[in-house]
Amino acid sequence: MAEFLQASDNRKILHVDIDAFYAQVEMRDHPQLRHVPLGIGRDPDKHHGHGVIATANYVARKAGVHSAMGSIEAKRVCPNLVFVAPDFDKYRQISSQIHAIFHEFTETIEPVALDEAYLDVTENKMAAPTLAAQLRHRIWQETHLTCSVGVSYNKVLAKLGSEHHKPNGVTVIPHELAQDFMLQLPIQDFRGVGKKTLLKFEKLGVKNGRDLYAMSLDDLRVHFGSFGDVLYWQARATHFSPVKDRSVRQSVGKESTFELAIHDRQSVEAAFKALAEKVVANMQKRKLLGRTLTVKIRDDEFRTQTKGLTLAGTFDLDPAFMTRQAMLIFDEIYPEDFSVRLLGLTFSNIIEQKYEAVSLFEQF
Ligand code: DCP
Ligand code: MG
């Protein structure tokens, strides 16, 4: 059965992850940081001991510094650690450069983080390892950053691959090697295995994929519920979850509920204005624009109505304009009496601000 399922899964999936992302960017931009242990975070001596490490370069990691570690603790394990405060705007800008490169390879992209994504390149005629090499080359060319790429026929194996030869490596896990790869894998490296699950496995004497493979599906279900099925198939190098195409955010919105129903237009207008301001702030922060504005209204009896307005171009990010549009829609739905418990405003048909000029000519 497992063999049959594996053979039938002929997708080509890449998992890409930039090496020590924030730290590598700072090392790129400040050559004097290249050979020192570097932590991205605020120096505890200058900030009353506050702060956490977002990431560390590989020199600092060798000394035991890692992401999410308190800065004081980081300094204790690595006394000569150099702290650099994060520059999120810069990382976001580089991230969009990298994600634009992903689009050169496929439109089926599942972003996981600023520096990480799954790409389904099944449709591409070229061999997946060649595409991985090209992708790494393009990222280096454009950003002077190194990344690691995992290549396989499912997301779990691709992700394990990219972790396998970090930093600056490619790992290809073809069908014929996948089963052995999973059998030798330490149990804590299986997807979804956290501290709690690990503790259970310790009691069961399960240390790696081989031990897991030996457990029956029934046993796994008894101990782990439906997650037992996931583990059973992971041990058999089988995982059918698709690369979810979320390369562009689907929507940005905000809702508010009222303890007491509102009955007057003025309050509705004030609520829409407050929502519009929040949505605009969020869109501006993410540098996004939207073509569709949807109003959501729920009444006293829990009846929900939504109605949207789509423009040929994008909406100006102007709360007053959005409020007027929302009120036009509201008046259409409730020309007379109403009793409203929830209002929402959402933008969809989202594009990135920098693509606005292009969007007039191309369908997004
Ligand atoms: N990050 C963060 N806080 C965390 C984890 C990560 O702020 N707890 C940030 C800093 C990282 C970036 O996200 O540079 C990407 O996270 P990764 O998990 O991919 O870690 P790195 O890219 O730093 O290291 P590597 O991928 O080489 O393991
Ligand atoms: Mg990374």
Side-chain angles (χ1 to χ4, degrees), residues 103-115:
H103 282 274
E104 295 172 13
F105 289 80
T106 177
E107 285 307 314
T108 312
I109 301 163
E110 182 176 335
V112 182
L114 281 184
D115 75 326

Side-chain angles (χ1 to χ4, degrees), residues 66-326:
H66 58 77
S67 290
M69 183 182 241
S71 300
I72 293 186
E73 170 72 356
K75 198 150 187 166
R76 197 183 59 75
V77 301
C78 181
N80 55 346
L81 186 66
V82 175
F83 289 86
V84 168
D87 181 346
F88 298 113
D89 281 344
K90 180 159 72 173
Y91 309 143
R92 261 196 292 273
Q93 191 261 326
I94 295 168
S95 172
S96 57
Q97 267 181 297
I98 293 165
H99 284 264
I101 296 171
F102 296 160
H103 282 274
E104 295 172 13
F105 289 80
T106 177
E107 285 307 314
T108 312
I109 301 163
E110 182 176 335
V112 182
L114 281 184
D115 75 326
E116 183 184 341
Y118 293 98
L119 278 63
D120 187 326
V121 293
T122 310
E123 296 297 311
N124 198 311
K125 297 263 181 310
M126 255 184 277
T130 310
L131 292 168
Q134 285 184 354
L135 177 61
R136 277 163 39 79
H137 177 69
R138 286 286 297 127
I139 291 177
W140 175 259
Q141 227 180 10
E142 291 277 324
T143 67
H144 270 258
L145 295 174
T146 66
C147 62
S148 298
V149 180
V151 184
S152 196
Y153 57 89
N154 71 40
K155 282 180 5 182
V156 169
L157 287 163
K159 166 99 176 161
L160 289 167
S162 78
E163 287 166 357
H164 195 60
H165 274 144
K166 234 180 191 313
N168 201 12
V170 178
T171 302
V172 182
I173 309 179
H175 283 94
E176 56 274 24
L177 298 181
Q179 186 60 73
D180 284 343
F181 188 90
M182 293 313 287
L183 292 179
Q184 58 76 40
L185 196 70
I187 195 68
Q188 61 269 25
D189 290 350
F190 276 73
R191 293 295 107 191
V193 174
K195 279 191 193 132
K196 255 186 173 168
T197 315
L198 196 57
L199 223 61
K200 281 192 190 173
F201 273 131
E202 253 167 42
K203 283 190 191 134
L204 291 164
V206 172
K207 294 191 183 62
N208 52 38
R210 192 173 299 281
D211 300 334
L212 179 63
Y213 192 97
M215 285 185 78
S216 72
L217 184 54
D218 282 346
D219 267 358
L220 284 166
R221 282 178 179 163
V222 167
H223 291 288
F224 303 102
S226 57
F227 182 48
D229 289 54
V230 178
L231 289 164
Y232 180 85
W233 288 111
Q234 261 193 70
R236 283 152 185 79
T238 301
H239 183 82
F240 282 119
S241 160
V243 173
K244 296 181 193 84
D245 183 4
R246 280 197 294 250
S247 55
V248 175
R249 278 177 72 90
Q250 310 292 319
S251 64
V252 175
K254 191 88 195 149
E255 294 179 352
S256 51
T257 6
F258 312 105
E259 288 244 29
L260 297 171
I262 51 177
H263 304 276
D264 63 295
R265 265 188 105 256
Q266 246 179 345
S267 306
V268 171
E269 194 164 352
F272 274 137
K273 185 157 174 286
L275 289 170
E277 278 163 2
K278 287 195 181 117
V279 173
V280 163
N282 196 347
M283 296 281 282
Q284 263 158 355
K285 198 173 88 193
R286 297 172 196 275
K287 301 194 171 27
L288 299 173
L289 291 167
R291 283 183 52 219
T292 303
L293 180 68
T294 301
V295 171
K296 179 169 166 185
I297 307 165
R298 181 173 295 152
D299 71 14
D300 226 357
E301 286 161 38
F302 230 75
R303 280 181 303 224
T304 307
Q305 309 209 49
T306 56
K307 199 162 178 357
L309 172 71
T310 301
L311 302 183
T314 53
F315 275 84
D316 285 342
L317 293 180
D318 170 10
F321 177 69
M322 287 167 63
T323 306
R324 280 199 298 280
Q325 298 306 318

Side-chain angles (χ1 to χ4, degrees), residues 25-44:
V25 169
E26 298 308 335
M27 284 159 58
R28 177 193 78 175
D29 295 349
H30 308 282
Q32 72 276 18
L33 296 173
R34 283 183 195 162
H35 303 288
V36 300
L38 172 67
I40 303 301
R42 289 188 301 186
D43 188 335

Side-chain angles (χ1 to χ4, degrees), residues 17-21 115-116 166:
D17 191 334
I18 306 292
D19 305 317
F21 182 40
D115 75 326
E116 183 184 341
K166 234 180 191 313

